[in-house]
Amino acid sequence: MKLKQFSLLLAIAITINVSHAQLKKQKNTSFKVGQLWYDTEGNLINAHGGTILYFKHIYYWFGEKRGDHQSQGITVYTSKDLYNWQYKGVVFEQSKDATSPIAEGGIMERPKVIYNKKTKKFVLWFHLEIRGRGYNAAEVGVAESNHILGPYKYVRSFRPNGNMSRDMTIYKDDDGKAYEIYSSRDNYDMRIVQLTDDYLNVTKKDSLLFSKHREAPAIFKYNHQYYLITSACTGWAPNEAALCVANNLYGPWKMLGNPMKGEKSKTTFDGQPAFILPLPNKKNCFIYVGDKWNPKDLMDSRYQFLPIKITAGGVAIPWEENWSLNIFDK
Ligand code: DGJ
């Protein structure tokens, strides 16, 4: 190749690279659902199965850090607008000690962080599987920190009142009482247990909600009623979601069917519920967040932020490809 041709190719390659990097660092002004999503440094956001906590006017997005398959602890990102996220690091690490319950090689899923007003501590709950035991430990783990950005320190892990606990979520009610909602008995049962006042353990107020073989619980409260979305149990493969409603967290829960609307609604748009974010400054506005898993490369799993539509006809989650928060003003 002549020097002139080589220089031209080099210039083209540099231009493409620069514009790609620029694209990655471009400010987002909407949710591009299921697309590659970069943080403010231009790296892919790695925070799966997680939660968003709004604290002192900032959103904190906690999630599973994944390699192509393995768990790599819990990450956090911060944002002021929900579209642009700054990476703040791993807040909860796995242990190098192979005998530790949180040893590397184990699995940490579905992290949820809540703030305890009385103790002034941030408490992290997560689904824990112990190194070398696949998904058979079926425990829930607890960690705490004085600072929202961590580091979080391991407190304990266990089966709540002896019950298996796999997919789970944590719900803090308006009165400050908090609960774990969890898939139990090999995912055949959905159960609830109230947490102790310090949020570091469970109480004996532990009860069966329903036995419908469901997982991936995500919950919100609207108009004095609780709405719970779950998935069926098909590993990483997507399936049909179901919504149920109750006046009381302990039930009875009434099944309402699939809330997803649009093409691919039968497979939850090829995703699975992770959590629901009530918008702090907009009454009765909620964002459903799902994971579109890529089992071959979990790190590359995508996020599905979708607005929840509440009308006289009920609660629905219609597919939106590209939307912004002003959808709630319409
Ligand atoms: C589905 C769960 O919802 C995920 O969190 C994960 O545990 C996968 N199953 C593992 O197959």
Side-chain angles (χ1 to χ4, degrees), residues 158-199:
F158 55 95
R159 287 183 170 188
N161 295 302
N163 302 308
M164 293 172 100
S165 175
R166 289 207 183 107
D167 276 10
M168 43 70 68
T169 195
I170 297 290
Y171 179 67
K172 183 174 161 183
D173 211 340
D174 306 330
D175 60 4
K177 290 195 176 92
Y179 304 82
E180 186 207 3
I181 297 171
Y182 63 105
S183 295
S184 196
R185 197 171 61 89
D186 279 319
N187 304 342
Y188 282 94
D189 294 344
M190 189 61 71
R191 299 188 64 89
I192 189 166
V193 62
Q194 192 179 320
L195 307 189
T196 51
D197 287 345
D198 59 9
Y199 302 163

Side-chain angles (χ1 to χ4, degrees), residues 44-253:
L44 280 177
I45 295 177
N46 195 343
H48 312 279
T51 192
I52 291 176
L53 183 65
Y54 185 68
F55 190 74
K56 295 195 175 160
H57 311 291
I58 294 174
Y59 296 99
Y60 294 81
W61 182 359
F62 296 88
E64 300 165 23
K65 183 177 180 202
R66 290 289 190 164
D68 51 5
H69 220 266
Q70 66 279 27
S71 275
Q72 296 179 341
I74 308 301
T75 47
V76 70
Y77 295 77
T78 59
S79 173
K80 286 199 169 158
D81 61 10
L82 289 171
Y83 307 127
N84 299 285
W85 293 92
Q86 190 179 6
Y87 181 57
K88 294 287 185 178
V90 174
V91 291
F92 186 54
E93 308 251 5
Q94 290 181 305
S95 171
K96 300 253 174 258
D97 171 3
T99 64
S100 160
I102 54 164
E104 284 176 354
I107 303 169
M108 288 178 182
E109 290 182 349
R110 300 192 171 264
K112 306 287 175 256
V113 177
I114 49 172
Y115 177 62
N116 191 304
K117 270 190 182 157
K118 284 187 205 140
T119 62
K120 299 202 163 25
K121 285 189 189 296
F122 296 88
V123 187
L124 162 69
W125 286 71
F126 56 98
H127 169 196
L128 175 73
E129 294 295 347
I130 291 167
R131 174 193 168 96
R133 293 179 57 192
Y135 276 87
N136 291 319
E139 290 187 4
V140 68
V142 188
E144 64 169 357
S145 177
N146 291 325
H147 309 284
I148 192 163
L149 291 174
Y152 286 77
K153 206 172 147 239
Y154 174 77
V155 176
R156 57 171 66 89
S157 60
F158 55 95
R159 287 183 170 188
N161 295 302
N163 302 308
M164 293 172 100
S165 175
R166 289 207 183 107
D167 276 10
M168 43 70 68
T169 195
I170 297 290
Y171 179 67
K172 183 174 161 183
D173 211 340
D174 306 330
D175 60 4
K177 290 195 176 92
Y179 304 82
E180 186 207 3
I181 297 171
Y182 63 105
S183 295
S184 196
R185 197 171 61 89
D186 279 319
N187 304 342
Y188 282 94
D189 294 344
M190 189 61 71
R191 299 188 64 89
I192 189 166
V193 62
Q194 192 179 320
L195 307 189
T196 51
D197 287 345
D198 59 9
Y199 302 163
L200 295 175
N201 211 335
V202 293
T203 65
K204 295 268 178 243
K205 289 181 191 159
D206 193 322
S207 175
L208 174 69
L209 298 184
F210 46 81
S211 296
K212 291 186 179 288
H213 202 203
R214 310 291 298 177
E215 62 181 5
I219 188 170
F220 69 103
K221 188 180 191 175
Y222 163 71
N223 206 8
H224 309 290
Q225 288 191 301
Y226 302 91
Y227 289 85
L228 179 67
I229 303 176
T230 58
S231 76
C233 303
T234 52
W236 299 112
N239 55 55
E240 191 169 11
L243 173 71
C244 53
V245 64
N247 293 326
N248 185 303
L249 279 172
Y250 282 76
W253 286 87

